[in-house]
Each structure stands twice: as C-alpha cells, then as structure tokens.
Amino acid sequence: MMDEVNKLSNVLDTLQAVLPTEHFLPLHEPLFRGNENKYVKECIDTGWVSSVGKFVDRFEEDLAAYTGVKRAVAVANGTSALHICLILAGVKPEDEVLVPALTFIATANAVVYCQAVPHFVDSCYETLGLDPDKLRDYLREIAEIKNGACYNRKTGRRISAVVPMHTFGHPVDMDKVNALAEEYHLVVVEDCAESIGSFYKGKHTGNFGLVSAMSFNGNKTITTGGGGAVLTNDDDMGKLAKHLTTQAKIPHKWEFRHDMVGYNYRMPNINAALGCAQLEELPEFLAKKRALAEKYRKVFEGNESVDFFIEPDFAKSNYWFNALLLKPELAHMRDRLLALLNDSNIMSRPIWNLMYTLEMYKDCPRMECSTAEDVGRRLVNIPSSVVLGE
C-alpha cells in the first residue's frame, strides 16, 4: 500500500512542478482578453440584448466559416442543439438511438426528449469515443435491415441514428462511423459539444454527420456564457433548424403566425456578442491549450503511475480537457488520487458515470461495454485552462 501511495504522490509532484498551485486551479476557466467588453457593451448601449441582433447573425456566419460548414444556427445551449439535431435526423418516438455509454448525460437526455430510447455502446482506447469496429460486430448480432431501415431483433424497435461524441475534443474515427451508418441505414448526428477547434483528417468536426451539435458553456474552449449551435452542410436542414429554434414563427410585420411545433431555443444577442469575441481569440486559445497538453505529455512520459492521453494519429485535438489514465493495477486508487490533487489546489475529477449505471437509464438496451467500464475506473481530468499554456 505504501508503494501505491508513493506512486500517487509522484503524480502530484509532477503536476506541481509544471502548474502554479499557490491558488486553487479549476479544471477549465474562461478567458476574456479580446473584444468581449466592447461587444457586450454595444448590446447594452443599443438595447439589443435579446434573441435578435447583429451579433447573432455574425456569430452564425463566423462559426460556419471557421468550421467549414454551410450553415450554423446559434441556440441556447448544447443540449437544445442536440435535441434539434435528433429531430432533424428523423428520430421518432420509440426509436432506438445508438449513443456512447461513456458520455455526458446530455447526449442520452436529448434522445429521451424525442421520446426515443438510448441504446448504449462501448468506447475505444484510441479516442475515448464510440468504437465503430466493436459496434459493427454487435450490430451483426442484434440488427436486421427491413424495408431500408435498421431494426433491433431483440426489441423490434427501429434503430434510427448513431451519435458519436468527440470526448474531451478528441475526434472519433468518422470514416468508420459513416461506413457503418451507411451499411446499417443509420443517420449520423455528431455530438461536437467538446470539439470546437478539433480536426479529423484535416476537416473540422461537425462536417461528418447530417447535422451536428456544439456547446459554448462557460467551461468550453470558447464560451458564450451558455449557448450552443446546430451545424449542417444541408441548406434546407439549416433553414429548418433556424425555424424550429425560433418557435417556428413565420416572418410577418405584426402577426404571430406559426406553422409547426417550435422551440424557444434562441441564443440571445448579448451571448452571441461574447461568442464573436471568443471566436476571434480561438486560434490563440488552441495554440496555448496544445502547448499545455505537450507540457503534460513530456512530464508524464514514462511515468509508472499514469499515462497522459494523447490525440489519435488521424486527428488534431483541441485538448479541451486533459486526461490521465491510471495504470490498470492502480485503478482502485483513483479516488485517493482525486482527493490528493483537490486537497493540493489542483482540481481534478473522474469521467462521467456510465449512462446505464444511472437509475433512469438502467433498463435501456446496451452492448457489452468493457472498455468504457475500464476507462471509467481509471480516468482523471486535470486542469486545462488556456492560461496554463502560457
């Protein structure tokens, strides 16, 4: 036991050698050094603080230009973005949607908002995201194609979509996901909540599904305070996303006309103003976050207690959250490491509880998830703020 405690102390010593620990270090704090004050003040001075204003339009245009998609629609948060994406993907009540067991709860919750059923699948060590190879083997066992649609033989329900989530900004192998989706007639909805500034084979995440969802929560690489976006390369999908997220209101000078059940998912202008300023700073943010990740990689190289998680070969990650994986033989010491780091002014936390371990999702269909379970026992997130890369 003493040898194991010493190994954990070594992790702390290594972090303290590269981090300023005279005050408590959060996992990820926002950085406002650009035009944030100027743009927000303009909103206040002009009175355009709500869901209409020039910064909403500009943020959507700038975001689309940066990511390379045809259309971006700014919304209230990443969860609402994902909800709209699933509606656009044609997910119907009682459908099953394939989502990682190892993900933030919003991925599963958005499926339930559509009155559909999350079907949990395993992750892989290479990306921490959905494992397309293992999923293909699983679908060969439980799925059948009828009338051009995929069905679960065991439940009789249609499996309509698959939602790869780019964990901590590390892109999933989207070529394999798309090949799998084509084989099994599934719609791909990318959960890009954590991956602004991440690229798969040279192309920004969010370009590989029919629709994609982003988040700009306060702890994301760039923030609008609270906010998200729907991305798509389909112009009609983009128009429909804008319509649905603005209460499905038909433009008119004075009348309130609505032609669908819509949602009040609009991003306020004052939040979009923050987003415009943050997007201007994004290249610098990414450079500093990657510099921090490289610093971590070097100091933990050859460490006998933990491995620092690095991006897959086919991707360039934003390293939103940096992660350590305890050696398998030290997995039982994870909570002791978390206590040690947090007590030493270094915020750390475990990865999310697997979705099927939560009460409301315990009876949902799932495949064997041994990799997700192993990662869940061993992963610890460590401080990842932009300023730490300076």
Side-chain angles (χ1 to χ4, degrees), residues 205-248:
T205 56
N207 279 279
F208 303 95
L210 175 67
V211 281
S212 307
M214 282 196 161
S215 171
F216 306 109
N217 190 34
N219 68 346
K220 292 301 193 294
T221 302
I222 64 169
T223 183
T224 56
V230 175
L231 307 182
T232 183
N233 283 307
D234 185 308
D235 286 327
D236 291 335
M237 284 285 174
K239 292 176 184 176
L240 183 55
K242 189 70 171 179
H243 189 56
L244 284 172
T245 57
T246 54
Q247 295 285 28

Side-chain angles (χ1 to χ4, degrees), residues 295-353:
K295 185 188 300 184
Y296 281 144
R297 186 194 67 78
K298 288 181 178 179
V299 297
F300 282 109
E301 193 169 21
N303 191 283
E304 61 180 2
S305 305
V306 298
D307 293 310
F308 177 70
F309 188 83
I310 61 173
E311 63 196 3
D313 291 339
F314 51 68
K316 183 176 182 180
S317 174
N318 64 8
Y319 283 96
W320 171 54
F321 268 8
N322 291 298
L324 300 177
L325 279 164
L326 281 157
K327 301 290 187 180
E329 65 273 14
L330 293 177
H332 65 287
M333 300 289 284
R334 185 200 68 181
D335 288 354
R336 290 193 64 161
L337 177 61
L338 289 168
L340 177 64
L341 296 182
N342 281 283
D343 289 345
S344 302
N345 280 346
I346 299 174
M347 185 177 181
S348 59
R349 73 180 187 195
I351 202 168
W352 318 280
N353 291 329

Side-chain angles (χ1 to χ4, degrees), residues 127-272:
T127 68
L128 301 178
L130 181 152
D131 187 334
D133 294 325
K134 194 170 182 179
L135 179 56
R136 174 177 273 105
D137 292 339
Y138 174 66
L139 289 176
R140 285 171 179 164
E141 296 177 8
I142 65 103
E144 61 180 341
I145 305 299
K146 295 188 299 184
N147 300 319
C150 182
Y151 287 85
N152 184 337
R153 289 195 190 98
K154 297 182 178 180
T155 65
R157 292 188 288 251
R158 182 176 74 130
I159 305 175
S160 58
V162 59
V163 186
M165 194 276 284
H166 305 300
T167 308
F168 306 143
H170 301 295
V172 173
D173 190 334
M174 291 307 301
D175 284 349
K176 288 186 176 181
V177 170
N178 282 332
L180 175 71
E182 183 176 0
E183 180 179 351
Y184 284 93
H185 303 264
L186 305 171
V187 179
V188 176
V189 174
E190 273 185 88
D191 185 342
C192 302
E194 302 171 1
S195 66
I196 181 73
S198 295
F199 294 79
Y200 172 75
K201 295 185 176 179
K203 184 178 287 189
H204 199 285
T205 56
N207 279 279
F208 303 95
L210 175 67
V211 281
S212 307
M214 282 196 161
S215 171
F216 306 109
N217 190 34
N219 68 346
K220 292 301 193 294
T221 302
I222 64 169
T223 183
T224 56
V230 175
L231 307 182
T232 183
N233 283 307
D234 185 308
D235 286 327
D236 291 335
M237 284 285 174
K239 292 176 184 176
L240 183 55
K242 189 70 171 179
H243 189 56
L244 284 172
T245 57
T246 54
Q247 295 285 28
K249 184 179 183 295
I250 299 172
H252 192 276
K253 286 186 177 181
W254 60 81
E255 287 191 10
F256 291 91
R257 297 180 180 178
H258 307 263
D259 60 355
M260 303 173 70
V261 175
Y263 302 87
N264 185 16
Y265 283 171
R266 299 169 293 183
M267 176 184 285
N269 194 50
I270 196 167
N271 295 86

Side-chain angles (χ1 to χ4, degrees), residues 120 352-362 373:
F120 299 116
W352 318 280
N353 291 329
L354 299 187
M355 293 297 98
Y356 57 77
T357 67
L358 303 177
E359 181 66 25
M360 59 283 200
Y361 293 134
K362 66 181 182 180
E373 290 173 357

